[in-house]
């Protein structure tokens, strides 16, 4: 069984057929989902919280995406705290630094990320982290903030990882896990598969980041959680493991990181 550790289930792209998308994923062996509330405007986090409250397979993560850092206001911390009170919210994020697209100024991105790491520490929650940069600045500054605001007390995951092996190994030493998306399957991204091959399976997660980043063979289509196994299949090949081993390990890793109840367990209210 797979677990999609990062998908945007409340994106408008799924409005017409969300139930069918979740059913197809379940058919494909996806037992649970972490629905990321950020990425489509801060207020949209509420939709992820509501979806998680209404579907036992879905858990939510709430935060402010680096693209949306410029929307951060005096009211934002209280808004986030309100959503984090829901027992179905298992993480803060996705938050982080994106110096590639630069939809928000660097200073605003750093401030928003720092405040969210601090919030995660206060609430004792893991963090789903987005990092992307034309040079290594985003990566270096991200780890600096993670260290200063997290104080070594936090765990988190670098989602949709596309960085170097050297940075991934540094991140592992800072309590972070690494999650791979459909980019791992792209024909031209051989270097990323080499990075994955050198990482310990017990620190790896898989995700779709749906509706974006459909895997090789389906590129250009709307991505959906049913295809997370295609990422896992490529990861298994890179690691020289069986798909079953990688499915079991990545699902166990995600459940441990996000502290999810076992399927079928009474869980939290
Ligand atoms: Zn992201
Ligand atoms: Zn995302």
């Amino acid at each position: 069984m797979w677990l999609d550790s990062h998908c945007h289930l409340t994106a408008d792209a799924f409005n017409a057929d969300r139930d069918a998308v979740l059913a197809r994923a379940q058919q494909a062996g996806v037992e649970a989902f972490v629905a990321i509330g950020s990425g489509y405007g801060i207020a949209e986090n509420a939709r992820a919280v509501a979806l998680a409250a209404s579907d036992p397979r879905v858990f939510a993560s709430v935060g402010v995406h680096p693209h949306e850092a410029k929307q951060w206001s005096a009211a934002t911390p209280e808004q986030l705290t309100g959503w984090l009170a829901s027992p179905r919210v298992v993480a803060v994020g996705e938050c982080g630094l994106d110096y590639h697209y630069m939809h928000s100024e660097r200073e605003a991105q750093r401030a928003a990320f720092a405040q969210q790491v601090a919030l995660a520490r206060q609430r004792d929650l893991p963090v789903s982290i987005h990092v992307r940069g034309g040079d290594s600045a985003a990566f270096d500054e991200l780890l600096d903030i993670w260290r200063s605001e997290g104080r070594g007390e936090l765990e988190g995951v670098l989602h949709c990882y596309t960085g170097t092996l050297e940075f991934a190994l540094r991140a592992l030493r800072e309590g972070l896990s690494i999650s791979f998306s459909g980019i791992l399957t792209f024909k031209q991204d051989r270097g990323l598969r080499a990075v994955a091959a050198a990482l310990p399976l017990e620190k790896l997660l898989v995700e779709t980041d749906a509706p974006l980043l459909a895997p090789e063979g389906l590129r250009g289509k709307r991505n959906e959680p049913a295809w997370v196994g295609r990422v896992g299949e490529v990861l298994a090949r890179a690691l020289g493991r069986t798909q079953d081993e990688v499915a079991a390990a990545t699902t166990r890793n995600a459940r441990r990181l996000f502290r999810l109840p076992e399927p079928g367990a009474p869980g939290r209210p």
Side-chain angles (χ1 to χ4, degrees):
M1 292 298 265
W2 299 100
L3 190 153
D4 191 347
S5 69
H6 185 117
C7 46
H8 297 265
L9 291 177
T10 51
D12 287 345
F14 295 121
N15 283 354
D17 62 346
R18 191 167 289 108
D19 289 344
V21 166
L22 290 171
R24 268 200 297 279
Q26 196 161 17
Q27 289 266 278
V30 185
E31 63 177 30
F33 314 84
V34 179
I36 304 296
S38 65
Y40 295 89
I42 296 175
E44 296 295 298
N45 278 293
R47 298 178 66 190
V49 178
L51 179 65
S54 70
D55 189 320
R57 298 165 297 180
V58 179
F59 300 88
S61 177
V62 301
V64 176
H65 194 283
H67 292 341
E68 301 159 347
K70 61 184 171 219
Q71 294 175 26
W72 190 283
S73 73
T76 302
E78 200 180 330
Q79 218 175 359
L80 291 175
T81 303
W83 289 317
L84 290 171
S86 162
R88 303 291 300 172
V89 175
V90 296
V92 173
E94 65 179 291
C95 54
L97 302 177
D98 192 315
Y99 292 173
H100 178 75
Y101 286 109
M102 286 302 293
H103 291 321
S104 290
E105 291 302 323
R106 288 185 180 200
E107 188 44 48
Q109 293 190 38
R110 285 191 290 262
F113 180 55
Q115 290 185 73
Q116 289 176 87
V117 175
L119 187 59
R121 189 165 49 77
Q122 284 158 25
R123 310 287 309 210
D124 189 28
L125 285 169
V127 188
S128 180
I129 299 174
H130 172 112
V131 59
R132 190 163 180 186
D135 52 30
S136 66
F139 291 84
D140 290 335
E141 292 175 19
L142 184 108
L143 273 194
D144 284 347
I145 294 168
W146 176 252
R147 257 194 304 264
S148 61
E149 298 296 334
R151 302 183 194 170
E153 296 167 20
L154 279 182
E155 286 191 289
V157 55
L158 297 182
H159 104 90
C160 192
Y161 192 70
T162 55
T164 63
L165 176 60
E166 186 257 335
F167 183 80
L169 294 173
R170 276 170 62 199
L172 294 186
R173 289 195 292 273
E174 301 288 343
L176 294 163
S177 296
I178 304 284
S179 176
F180 290 105
S181 69
I183 294 177
L184 189 74
T185 69
F186 293 174
K187 268 205 184 81
Q188 76 275 22
D189 281 281
R190 210 169 276 127
L192 190 59
R193 289 188 285 279
V195 169
L199 294 173
L201 177 56
E202 66 271 20
K203 289 290 180 188
L204 302 183
L205 276 60
V206 289
E207 63 171 276
T208 57
D209 207 10
L212 302 177
L213 297 174
E216 190 67 44
L218 297 159
R219 289 182 74 174
K221 299 196 170 156
R222 180 189 70 173
N223 195 7
E224 56 177 79
W227 299 336
V228 73
R230 290 173 181 247
V231 179
E233 184 186 338
V234 172
L235 181 60
R237 224 178 296 137
L239 292 166
R241 306 280 197 128
T242 67
Q243 270 192 69
D244 284 351
E245 281 176 307
V246 168
T250 55
T251 296
R252 188 171 58 235
N253 298 343
R255 285 195 171 278
R256 192 198 57 78
L257 175 67
F258 296 116
R259 303 171 204 159
L260 307 185
E262 286 303 316
R268 290 172 284 182

